[in-house]
Amino acid sequence: MEMKEHEKFMRMAIELSEQNVKGAAGGPFGAVIVKNGEVVAASANQVVQQNDPTAHAEVSAIRLACQQLGTYDLTGCVIYTSCEPCPMCLGAIYWAHMDTIYYGNTKVDAAEIGFDDHYIYKELELPMNKRKLPIIQLLHDEAISAFKLWVDSESKTDY
């Protein structure tokens, strides 16, 4: 794909982010997912609209793309996002197996307007017992049974 095509899709993501603000619908973020030069999904940030902290533009677009394509594997897809993905969105993009991320604004730009996810990166570097949010293992001996079932399952789907 030529750079002009990439720019076209990035402009779509930017337009979604602007429309979201102008329409008082939510944060200034937009994402477009493309496969074989065709848009398969597009979404703006929907956190406030849906009362869902995971409804970032990228995650919302991934959900739509998976529904549209009938798969959980977005290999062959490219995501254009108006801002560098946060840790959650970056994880979702990796789990979806997308080929490339194109982004507009940086995480520093986002932090400057109040969307700072640096603390999450810092927390991830700490040992679990040093993190701000308590993380406590409970009932491991019982929980492991589902993993054992998975290993032996004839109907499992690797992803």
Side-chain angles (χ1 to χ4, degrees):
M1 201 176 333
E2 292 185 28
M3 192 52 67
K4 286 186 187 241
E5 282 290 296
H6 293 301
E7 290 174 356
K8 176 180 87 172
F9 296 126
M10 179 57 74
R11 285 188 178 100
M12 289 179 181
I14 293 167
E15 179 63 24
L16 284 166
S17 69
E18 291 174 346
Q19 288 174 358
N20 219 38
V21 175
K22 290 175 185 174
F29 304 98
V32 174
I33 296 177
V34 174
K35 185 169 187 175
N36 300 324
E38 299 290 326
V39 174
V40 293
S43 183
N45 178 285
Q46 298 180 14
V47 170
V48 175
Q49 284 176 303
Q50 294 188 9
N51 292 317
D52 179 352
T54 69
H56 290 199
E58 298 92 335
V59 171
S60 296
I62 288 168
R63 290 172 180 158
L64 290 170
C66 289
Q67 290 172 359
Q68 179 69 24
L69 297 173
T71 183
Y72 53 82
D73 186 340
L74 298 180
T75 299
C77 292
V78 174
I79 189 165
Y80 300 84
T81 179
S82 65
C83 186
E84 183 178 354
C86 75
M88 176 185 68
C89 293
L90 186 59
I93 292 165
Y94 272 100
W95 279 116
H97 305 287
M98 282 193 249
D99 292 1
T100 309
I101 302 168
Y102 290 90
Y103 69 95
N105 295 313
T106 68
K107 61 185 175 186
V108 173
D109 297 327
E112 288 175 356
I113 63 164
F115 294 94
D116 190 356
D117 53 17
H118 183 69
Y119 75 96
I120 297 173
Y121 288 107
K122 288 179 83 172
E123 283 283 300
L124 291 173
E125 292 173 2
L126 297 172
M128 279 197 258
N129 65 345
K130 301 284 186 193
R131 294 180 186 170
K132 186 176 181 177
L133 181 65
I135 302 174
I136 303 159
Q137 187 174 25
L138 187 63
L139 297 177
H140 176 258
D141 291 343
E142 293 177 34
I144 199 71
S145 66
F147 282 17
K148 290 176 181 176
L149 288 169
W150 176 258
V151 168
D152 296 334
S153 175
E154 305 244 342
S155 64
K156 70 181 171 193
T157 301
D158 291 326
Y159 56 96

